[in-house]
Amino acid sequence: MKLYAFWRSTASWRVRIALNYKNVAYEYVPVHLVKGEQKADDYLALNPMAQVPTLVLDDGRQLSQSLAIIAYLEDTAPLPSLYPRDPYLRARARQLSELVNAGIQPMQNTDTMRQLKAHGVDEKAWLHYFLGRGLDGLEASAQPHAGKFLVGDEVSVADVCLVPQLYHARRFDLDVARWPLLLRVEEACAKLPAFIHAHAERQPDAVPQ
Ligand SMILES: N[C@@H](CCC(=O)N[C@@H](CS)C(=O)NCC(=O)O)C(=O)O
């Protein structure tokens, strides 16, 4: 399999964690978002939304949207699972992952930032508002069912979304101390090889900050 990705893309990072967690081997193919490589014709043929990640299967078929890719990995490599067995908790894990995927990430996307700049919007105020609101919502939503991880004591798709998102909150200078539950779970994830090897700054295309 080939994973088309960018080192600090949160959506790419989620898929790297899931691939590692499930011990699925893959080749990493960097797509430089700042240089605009996502808009090259050959990449658009793989991903018409001009976004990463894209997973290309061994037979050439492709998948995009990180949560769809993670669901595919769950179906094809079920263990260890990233989804709780209990249907309600399973839905809660999906709820938290969508909170990040649909509720936060689009607000910080590279293209969104480009448009904000073009329209003279104060990008930092925008990011502080939307990331702050989203992470406040995540912290409160996780409270009732959190254990060692966001949903109980096993890693789930919710944790896979959390870790890259907190990296981005720090990148944009948010004070993450206001989310103690999220920080505690992040610390637990940071001890696991799947998360360690997926970290943005360990990727071959990473640029030292
Ligand atoms: N919901 C999508 C989001 C994909 C996405 O927005 N990717 C960003 C990087 S995290 C991207 O490729 N941005 C390119 C651009 O904005 O030009 C997913 O989960 O895969």
Side-chain angles (χ1 to χ4, degrees), residues 60-149:
R61 289 179 299 170
Q62 66 251 25
L63 282 171
S64 64
Q65 295 296 330
S66 61
L67 295 185
I69 295 172
I70 293 168
Y72 172 81
L73 294 173
E74 180 76 11
D75 287 343
T76 52
L79 295 176
S81 176
L82 282 169
Y83 297 82
R85 269 205 192 170
D86 174 83
Y88 179 71
L89 295 179
R90 203 174 173 91
R92 291 290 297 203
R94 289 196 161 114
Q95 172 187 325
L96 301 186
S97 63
E98 283 297 355
L99 191 157
V100 177
N101 178 56
I104 305 179
Q105 187 275 337
M107 300 303 179
Q108 76 197 15
N109 193 16
T110 318
D111 216 25
T112 310
M113 291 299 108
R114 257 187 235 115
Q115 289 299 317
L116 291 175
K117 206 173 203 161
H119 290 86
V121 174
D122 177 349
E123 297 159 64
K124 195 157 185 178
W126 170 282
L127 286 166
H128 278 228
Y129 174 73
F130 282 111
L131 272 63
R133 185 189 74 153
L135 290 167
D136 284 345
L138 188 62
E139 171 95 6
S141 305
Q143 292 288 353
H145 303 290
K148 186 174 173 194
F149 296 101

Side-chain angles (χ1 to χ4, degrees), residues 140-198:
S141 305
Q143 292 288 353
H145 303 290
K148 186 174 173 194
F149 296 101
L150 282 182
V151 183
D153 291 325
E154 303 293 333
V155 173
S156 79
V157 66
D159 308 301
V160 166
C161 292
L162 166 71
V163 168
Q165 190 53 57
L166 277 177
Y167 178 91
H168 273 257
R170 291 191 186 91
R171 181 175 164 230
F172 297 126
D173 298 326
L174 275 93
D175 178 9
V176 295
R178 83 194 222 213
W179 301 299
L181 168 59
L182 304 186
L183 291 185
R184 178 173 64 66
V185 172
E186 182 192 41
E187 203 180 325
C189 292
K191 297 190 175 109
L192 305 175
F195 285 81
I196 293 170
H197 297 300

